Amino acid sequence: MTTRRSLGVALVFFGCASAGERHASLAPEPAPAPTPSAGPAAPPPTAAAVAMPSHAAPGAHSKSVSFMRDDLESALGRAKAENKALFVDAWAEWCHTCISMQNFVLNDPALLPLGERTVFLAVDTERHGSEKFLSRYKVSVWPTFFMIDPESGKVLGSWQGAASLGELRSFIEESLEVKDAIASRSLDPNTPLALLVEARSAQASGQPRQAAALFERALAAAPADWPRKSQALFGLIQSFFAARDAERCVATGLNHLEEPKGAALPVDFTQYLYECSKGIRDPKRRNAVRQAALARLKALVEAPSADSSVDDRADALVKLAGMLLESGDRAGARAAQARRLELMERAAASLPSPQAASTFDLGRAQAYVALGRTDDAVGLLEQRTKELPASAEPLARLAELYVALKRPKDALAALERALPHAEGSKKLDLLAAKAELHARLGDRAGQVRSLEQEVEGWQALGEGKAQSLKLADARRRLEKAKKGKGQL
């Protein structure tokens, strides 16, 4: 799972899926982010089907589900005309979990039979044109998968972060059951399934308190062996986190710590508990909660689910390293990073192309930095920029690494090279980062120019509440720079 993290205002070169709205960072000793375990410039948006989103591993499977790209209205129209549900992969290029899912799960032939009842759409959330989708469906964790009823636009189901092939198939099949029940008017609104659907809809529309109440009702109405219990518990703790209700978040985590099942979900559930502990004021109680989360995560690392991918296991190890580091166990954190690096190095070496191997670039670079091997991190990303010259992502990651290494001129040069290959909100994030670097280097004129370009970009996007907030923030920073204020 991945969420965003920024350095200053703009260096947002993520890992993937997270609860805390932070990106994984290349800073030397990153603290853990609550993240569910959660490329090259794309062609113009089109409703034409493609074999997979652009990062699918070349030759991974000769036959796989056909995805439409970045065109919600056309995909909804097709799904409605064919009486199918719409599956949406909301992803981003910086998100290693997104790329791992595309390379190893979403292109599996086992999903082909589901195409008889499902239209598949991939939405690059940082691409110009994604604003309409994001204004209707909230994405705070990458990737997020949606199943949507094309008749009403209602969310039939949502899944945040990584999923095994079996979990993804079950998620789609269960969502199709919901669609059938709605169509036949046989879905009792007080059943656990109906309440779960409503909870996910509230979550997708950015109403965490309402979502939490619905998840609680679903769990209360469900039998002990309810197959969707893990998903409901995860949605509940996520909702309490999003609502900043630390007490109820911690209570949920402690009361159900060993209950969630799945490939990545138990680790993510544990991470939410750990993050929510930070809102507990009593130091002794806060420490006890952290120790419970740490003990559970250690157990999950040593005995991962059989369905866990390399990305899932690496994600668990980086979370463990973060927790150990915060507890003062630097040796333990270093050992976890070393295990993580070994795991990803083996996986990357087995892949058929630089593009496929780049799935693990961010994690490998992070681990190198954590282990004090900064030259290896720089070498990895510099080599990848040569192998993938049309991609902004290796250059953006390289820029962040140079910032962490206090090499602002090199960071600025990397951003200059990245910008021609970026678009949408990603390009505007890079312009904001560029402005910050100009300020650090004492170039007020360069800072103002970059901020002017950022403001123009947000004005051009101009759709949705999120874009309006970003525009207002960019204008604020521009006015501040013009008045000679801010870092120089």
Side-chain angles (χ1 to χ4, degrees):
M1 166 182 83
T2 301
T3 57
R4 302 193 183 207
R5 173 190 178 276
S6 66
L7 178 127
V9 296
L11 286 181
V12 286
F13 315 133
F14 314 77
C16 280
S18 146
E21 303 298 317
R22 296 183 291 176
H23 280 179
S25 170
L26 289 172
E29 292 184 340
T35 53
S37 325
T46 175
V50 292
M52 268 298 298
S54 60
H55 280 278
H61 297 293
S62 58
K63 292 183 179 180
S64 57
V65 169
S66 292
F67 274 74
M68 299 174 70
R69 294 276 296 278
D70 297 312
D71 190 338
L72 176 63
E73 296 307 320
S74 293
L76 284 170
R78 176 179 161 190
K80 186 174 181 179
E82 297 178 7
N83 192 27
K84 296 180 178 180
L86 176 62
F87 174 93
V88 181
D89 169 19
W91 70 288
E93 182 185 2
W94 46 259
C95 167
H96 65 83
T97 302
C98 301
I99 308 309
S100 177
M101 287 295 297
Q102 291 176 1
N103 283 344
F104 304 112
V105 177
L106 292 173
N107 61 352
D108 196 291
L111 296 179
L112 277 170
L114 297 173
E116 296 177 5
R117 299 197 56 205
T118 310
V119 171
F120 290 83
L121 172 70
V123 174
D124 182 345
T125 60
E126 294 203 339
R127 183 184 180 81
H128 180 48
S130 67
E131 299 80 27
K132 288 184 178 180
F133 176 83
L134 295 173
S135 68
R136 294 175 65 177
Y137 304 101
K138 180 176 174 59
V139 178
S140 59
V141 168
W142 284 260
T144 293
F145 304 109
F146 295 94
M147 284 289 284
I148 297 172
D149 178 7
E151 294 287 344
S152 63
K154 188 172 184 177
V155 175
L156 301 169
S158 63
W159 184 288
Q160 296 179 318
S164 68
L165 177 62
E167 288 172 330
L168 191 70
R169 280 179 58 95
S170 294
F171 163 67
I172 296 173
E173 289 166 351
E174 290 168 2
S175 299
L176 290 171
E177 290 177 18
V178 173
K179 181 178 183 298
D180 290 343
I182 291 173
S184 64
R185 302 183 182 227
S186 62
L187 188 62
D188 183 335
N190 295 312
T191 61
L193 180 57
L195 290 165
L196 181 61
V197 171
E198 290 301 318
R200 285 169 164 168
S201 293
Q203 200 174 34
S205 59
Q207 303 175 72
R209 293 187 185 279
Q210 181 181 346
L214 288 162
F215 281 123
E216 286 185 312
R217 289 180 59 194
L219 287 162
D225 59 351
W226 190 35
R228 297 174 176 86
K229 184 175 182 179
S230 292
Q231 297 173 37
L233 284 170
F234 185 60
L236 180 60
I237 199 169
Q238 270 189 318
S239 298
F240 284 140
F241 181 93
R244 304 192 179 201
D245 190 338
E247 289 290 345
R248 297 179 76 185
C249 180
V250 165
T252 299
L254 291 177
N255 291 337
H256 304 282
L257 187 53
E258 298 191 14
E259 294 179 43
K261 309 299 179 188
L265 193 149
V267 170
D268 295 337
F269 186 90
T270 304
Q271 179 71 8
Y272 275 101
L273 171 61
Y274 183 87
E275 290 297 319
C276 286
S277 73
K278 296 176 182 179
I280 302 300
R281 293 184 178 182
D282 178 39
K284 289 185 178 179
R285 183 161 167 259
R286 181 171 61 246
N287 185 61
V289 174
R290 289 187 175 192
Q291 289 305 312
L294 180 57
R296 175 60 174 158
L297 185 54
K298 285 180 177 178
L300 291 169
V301 164
E302 296 306 325
S305 164
D307 291 334
S308 296
S309 67
V310 170
D311 189 72
D312 294 334
R313 285 178 283 157
D315 187 66
L317 283 163
V318 75
K319 287 176 169 60
L320 177 60
M323 288 187 194
L324 290 169
L325 196 61
E326 287 196 352
S327 70
D329 185 357
R330 300 177 69 87
R334 185 177 179 85
Q337 290 283 10
R339 287 178 63 183
R340 176 191 181 209
L341 179 61
E342 181 183 7
L343 188 68
M344 292 184 293
E345 299 253 85
R346 286 201 310 266
S350 71
L351 293 173
S353 69
Q355 183 168 301
S358 71
T359 302
F360 302 103
D361 282 359
L362 178 65
R364 291 169 66 192
Q366 288 175 321
Y368 283 138
V369 172
L371 294 169
R373 297 170 56 182
T374 55
D375 287 346
D376 288 330
V378 171
L380 168 66
L381 295 177
E382 286 185 336
Q383 179 62 28
R384 198 68 79 210
T385 67
K386 297 173 184 176
E387 295 168 339
L388 303 176
S391 175
E393 195 56 33
L395 288 161
R397 289 174 177 167
L398 186 61
E400 184 177 15
L401 178 56
Y402 282 141
V403 168
L405 298 177
K406 303 188 186 307
R407 294 168 58 178
K409 291 183 178 179
D410 290 329
L412 185 59
L415 286 180
E416 293 277 14
R417 292 165 57 198
L419 278 164
H421 306 296
E423 63 169 300
S425 60
K426 176 59 178 284
K427 184 170 186 175
L428 304 182
D429 285 338
L430 296 184
L431 284 168
K434 183 182 174 185
E436 186 174 301
L437 286 168
H438 278 304
R440 292 186 183 196
L441 292 167
D443 181 359
R444 183 71 73 186
Q447 180 192 18
V448 169
R449 283 196 305 273
S450 295
L451 289 171
E452 287 175 339
Q453 292 172 354
E454 185 192 353
V455 167
E456 291 172 2
W458 287 118
Q459 287 174 327
L461 290 182
E463 293 185 45
K465 180 179 178 181
Q467 287 70 39
S468 297
L469 293 173
K470 289 288 190 83
L471 174 58
D473 179 62
R475 283 174 169 163
R476 178 190 59 77
R477 287 182 280 111
L478 175 58
E479 290 307 309
K480 188 175 179 180
K482 285 181 175 179
K483 292 176 180 177
K485 298 179 180 180
Q487 180 179 354
L488 269 183

